[in-house]
Amino acid sequence: MAVEAYLTPSDVKKTIEKKVKPKPSTKELTTIEKPGKAVSASDLENSPDEKKRKRTSKNKAKKTETTISKAEKDATLIITEKPQAAAKISSALGNAIKYSENRVPFYEIERDGEKIIVASAVGHLFNLTYSKGQTGWPIFKLEWQPAHKGKGAAFTKNYYLLLNKLVKRAKKIIIATDYDIEGEVIGWNVLRFIAKKKDAERMKFSTLTKNELVRAYENPMKTLDWGQAYAGETRHKIDWLYGINLSRALMSAIKTSGTFKILSIGRVQGPALKIIVDRDREIENFKSEPFWQVFAKANNLNFKHPKDIFDKKELDEFKEIENATAETTEKEENLSPPHPFDLTTLQREAYKFYRLSPSNTLKVAQTLYLAGIISYPRTSSQKIPKEIEPKKILRKLENRFPFVKEATRKYPIEGNKSDPAHPSIYPTGDFKNLSGDERKLYELIVKRFISCFSQDTKIANKRISLTADNGKKFTISGMKIIENGWTKIYPVKMEEKSLPDMKGETKIDKIDFKKRETKPLKKYTATSLVTLMEKKNLGTKATRSSIVDTLFKRGYIDGKSIESTELGKKLIESLEKYSPIIIDENLTRQLEEKMEEILQATENWEEKENKTIENVEQLILDISKEFRAHEKNIGEKLKEGITDLRDKQRENSRFMTCPVCKEGNLSIIYSRKTKRNFVACDKYPDCKTTYSLPPNAVIKKTGKVSEEGLPILVALKRGRKPWEFKFDPNWRDNRQNSS
Ligand SMILES: [Zn+2]
């Protein structure tokens, strides 16, 4: 069974943290730990690395005993989604004192005689799982369980334990998770499963800036946003039901073919993969056709005939042309600034300028948000509401970005899309020293924001057209910038091209024919795919980029210009034939609409959730029947794909002839047992040659060869630059010789 093998929307909010020590003993769990050193939170906030802080901070704050053991209800408990948000909120609300228990920080503040505790979750603290006692598939009974009981989320345990203690001191709870459906589910789960409460106050904010946080604290919503909460829960349940049942169905089909591989396909992954496979088919079936472009040279300019000519005979009609009449027209045009950034537009532009993938862009934007310097990035809004006080922000930006003086427009340019939860992505005006991708993305956001307040750029388009004596037309266009407005700030390519004025009789010096061939549509990139998914309403702004990542991880797609693998193709082929409903994008879209309805509803959310889930259960029952009936056929098709994938993987891991047997090839192999890569001869068991490789990294071949003729391998480590090294099969001998 492969619960971990499919994507849940919660994946997009999981923070990868250091591994937590193994399960503490019951004794550890019941004794109260000594509190960590108390340090004023505002002193700490600027340093990015908590570990480093602990070592370097001069412990100027007083030591204070935590009162966590006392179960008196003496405080208001604010619960955030991430530790960084807790730090920001506590320092916004007053002189915070930081504590930590099992390395999980929390803060205490006195404000107007009230005690406030700020603590955090760390993304989702609860996951869905199937209720015990269900076997086979389809299964429908599911329940929330603490995330740390499942795989890969051990780091959430100490947060869970701390919140369990802190709720005992809470006379009032305020949920202050990110304001969107995922954040609402995170807060709701803490509220109902840890605090055992039905409702709470809710802070709503789009930036982690002091002013906004204070305002959100002083004017909280009186209840959770139940539309968000139920829409979120519905999404989790639907995706979970899809995930577990389709994975089991696929696994069962594969088993019939006598092979094994963990396969899965999610509710959105299926239609997304089909889009890619369809494009590949189009490209494969494309037959290119020759055609001709016709140019006329006159006055040292190259004029082009507007039509492409596919019938070669037609070219004869151009051969005799000698004279034409010229006419010049000029038209001024105002180019308004582009609308402010919503997430998809930011992802597209970041890819265009910096080749940042959509998921990386979201990751970097999330960091900038948690640093308090940009607003919440998971937004579809293209609006700049006056409540965010943009003029104040512009004034704050002025010190670092002198081009703010160009922001003379009274009302900003806005786009059509809005988002009830958040405005567009904008800089808050606060600063932090940045480098690398963070700096690039931040500056792009600043430039975009300022350009929304800048003047139009005025250009003049010039066009000369030639009409030959036999009626054939040729044209050439030029452009001149009359007045640079927003284009002084925001990076755009604008090439000026000046043209003379031409009028009346003109001699044509030469006619040129250029033969070309029609080209197939382009393959998708991660960015164009995310954009298309948005257009088709597949997935959500928060999940699209990670869905694309998952298709890569599963081995269904490959390459920077995305191509489906044989496995991806076979999967789609078999589903098209035997269970087309799984990859039907209309169905996925209808479900998105249902969830949108719940989100917008003002009552009866639970009823709507139950109805939607009942529909999905019926659907899965139908799919299961189809699947069972064709299990063998599906299995056979998938086997072909799996075999191909394995062959390719093997091919990709071979990098040199075995120096011992001289017959086999050395290849990089992953050992499940030792969880690391090593090199072995593929003539095993006849040849037992092996070499060890650097640990804790994924090793791949580069295809490159050193000057000495040694193959170059590369070690890939999370968060590190790839490290290339020469693989020397005589390494051991050399060492013996030289020592
Ligand atoms: Zn060998």
Side-chain angles (χ1 to χ4, degrees), residues 658 661 681 687 689:
C658 173
C661 70
C681 175
C687 174
T689 309

Side-chain angles (χ1 to χ4, degrees), residues 693-713:
L693 285 171
N696 308 321
V698 176
I699 316 287
K700 295 205 160 144
K701 71 172 184 186
T702 61
K704 291 189 263 187
V705 178
S706 75
E707 282 171 15
E708 311 95 292
L710 296 173
I712 294 175
L713 305 183

Side-chain angles (χ1 to χ4, degrees), residues 358-374:
S359 52
N360 268 336
T361 296
L362 180 53
K363 223 182 282 163
V364 175
Q366 172 79 10
T367 313
L368 297 175
Y369 162 71
L370 286 172
I373 60 178
I374 68 163

Side-chain angles (χ1 to χ4, degrees), residues 292-296 303-305 309 315 318 474 511-513:
W292 288 264
Q293 293 179 329
V294 190
F295 296 88
F303 294 77
K304 186 177 173 292
H305 181 62
I309 311 286
L315 297 180
F318 293 87
F474 299 87
I511 296 283
D512 276 322
F513 301 105

Side-chain angles (χ1 to χ4, degrees), residues 629-684:
H630 302 289
E631 205 168 57
K632 273 224 152 104
N633 296 325
I634 298 174
E636 279 311 312
K637 268 248 178 298
L638 292 179
K639 189 181 176 180
E640 291 168 28
I642 293 168
T643 311
D644 183 85
L645 188 75
R646 296 231 162 105
D647 287 350
K648 287 223 168 88
Q649 276 169 350
R650 218 164 285 153
E651 182 66 35
N652 279 336
S653 66
R654 280 181 199 140
F655 62 93
M656 70 181 291
T657 314
C658 173
V660 179
C661 70
K662 310 252 176 349
E663 261 180 43
N665 283 295
L666 293 186
S667 61
I668 303 162
I669 293 177
Y670 178 75
S671 156
R672 277 173 202 273
K673 209 163 142 200
T674 61
K675 295 209 167 86
R676 56 186 280 183
N677 289 111
F678 66 102
V679 169
C681 175
D682 62 3
K683 277 277 179 277
Y684 181 88

Side-chain angles (χ1 to χ4, degrees), residues 489-509:
I489 301 161
Y490 194 76
V492 273
K493 243 197 197 154
M494 305 240 304
E495 255 174 69
E496 286 187 284
K497 183 175 170 189
S498 65
L499 290 177
D501 288 326
M502 282 172 65
K503 213 178 167 201
E505 201 123 305
T506 305
K507 190 178 163 349
I508 306 276
D509 299 321

Side-chain angles (χ1 to χ4, degrees), residues 407-423:
T408 52
R409 202 179 265 273
K410 196 167 175 202
Y411 300 106
I413 291 289
E414 296 184 310
N416 293 327
K417 283 199 233 156
S418 57
D419 185 322
H422 298 281

